Amino acid sequence: MYRFLLTPRWLALHVVVLLVIPAFVFLGRWQFGRYEERSSSSHEITANLSAAPVPLESLMSPGTPMRAHDRYRPVTVTGTFDAASQLLVRRRTQESRVGFYVLTPLRTADGTGVLVNRGWVKAGATADALPEVPPPSTGEVTVTGRLQPSETEETTGIRNRSGLPPGQVLLINTEAIGQGMPYKLLGGFVELTDQTPKAQAAPAPVPAPDVGGGGGLNLAYGVQWWLFIGIAVGGWILLIRREAADQRAEAASA
């Protein structure tokens, strides 16, 4: 009765099902792995964002790269803004509008500096027009902000290029920017959230990251792929039983 399973048409179906099952197992495991990775990252980011600010010097020193697990840690640093070395970071979107980040070095008492992202400003009226940028505060200030790693093409997906207008960059790459500075920069940069004394005018602050569901979609996708395995196997068995029933009916009528 089940000799039809050895016909070419059915052998092809067997091969398809036997290939689909391990493929769905792999895709499900990959999504579960992404869920664990994002869930762990989400917990770390949440913990860092809620931590009390610490002096920046306690987390890094000149020549020492920023540690990955310190991202979004609130830090404080005191110094004076170097307005002459201020840069504009192109193509940064905030609230669905394209503009610039305002990147101003803060020089500390020991002679080193740290890049401070003071916030976002909207683009000018034309592609070549400079945006309106509130000047940094003069005198000594204490900046509080979120610690961020130096940006690269690999971590941001932004393709760097030369030939930009003077004073503009595409990436907040501390190493590259530091090559043109008269003093050493600490690794990474600080995303300003508060300043003492307050600035009279300031760019729009960069919002805190959306931690999201911690990989919840990946968990759902993983379960979905494994449900597809049951559907594939169930459909395979159903087709076999239906074919066998049809052949029994044909034999009975004959």
Side-chain angles (χ1 to χ4, degrees):
M1 181 62 67
Y2 289 95
R3 285 180 294 179
F4 66 86
L5 294 175
L6 300 178
T7 61
R9 179 170 65 91
W10 277 94
L11 288 174
L13 179 60
H14 302 335
V15 171
V16 170
V17 172
L18 292 175
L19 289 176
V20 161
I21 291 174
F24 286 177
V25 169
F26 170 79
L27 289 170
R29 291 179 58 125
W30 179 75
Q31 289 289 358
F32 288 136
R34 292 288 293 161
Y35 162 71
E36 292 178 355
E37 178 184 333
R38 291 189 174 184
S39 180
S40 175
S41 176
S42 174
H43 293 324
E44 182 176 277
I45 292 173
T46 301
N48 283 354
L49 288 171
S50 60
V54 298
L56 178 62
E57 296 80 4
S58 68
L59 298 180
M60 61 174 52
S61 58
T64 302
M66 174 189 157
R67 296 174 299 185
H69 64 264
D70 284 334
R71 186 180 188 186
Y72 296 117
R73 281 287 301 273
V75 295
T76 60
V77 57
T78 300
T80 55
F81 281 118
D82 182 3
S85 301
Q86 180 167 278
L87 298 170
L88 296 177
V89 187
R90 296 171 61 91
R91 300 180 185 173
R92 298 303 168 120
T93 303
Q94 193 156 303
E95 296 181 352
S96 302
R97 295 183 298 170
V98 178
F100 298 81
Y101 283 158
V102 181
L103 194 66
T104 313
L106 185 76
R107 193 161 188 181
T108 61
D110 62 4
T112 60
V114 59
L115 297 177
V116 176
N117 181 359
R118 295 200 293 124
W120 179 91
V121 294
K122 65 179 182 180
T126 66
D128 298 327
L130 290 175
E132 295 183 8
V133 181
S137 301
T138 58
E140 187 175 82
V141 297
T142 297
V143 166
T144 302
R146 298 180 289 262
L147 188 57
Q148 295 281 11
S150 178
E151 295 181 343
T152 65
E153 291 184 345
E154 292 73 21
T155 59
T156 63
I158 299 173
R159 186 174 179 181
N160 202 8
R161 65 180 179 86
S162 57
L164 298 176
Q168 297 187 22
V169 294
L170 286 169
L171 294 170
I172 309 178
N173 187 296
T174 310
E175 294 75 14
I177 295 172
Q179 293 176 3
M181 302 292 290
Y183 44 86
K184 291 184 178 180
L185 293 177
L186 296 175
F189 63 97
V190 176
E191 213 168 60
L192 188 148
T193 58
D194 195 14
Q195 175 185 312
T196 306
K198 300 287 186 182
Q200 293 183 350
V206 179
D210 181 8
V211 179
L217 281 177
N218 297 102
L219 178 62
Y221 290 149
V223 172
Q224 184 181 65
W225 282 117
W226 284 15
L227 286 175
F228 287 161
I229 297 173
I231 293 172
V233 173
W236 184 33
I237 295 173
L238 180 63
L239 288 174
I240 291 174
R241 294 181 64 180
R242 181 175 296 174
E243 182 73 14
D246 290 344
Q247 295 207 11
R248 282 196 298 269
E250 289 178 5
S253 63

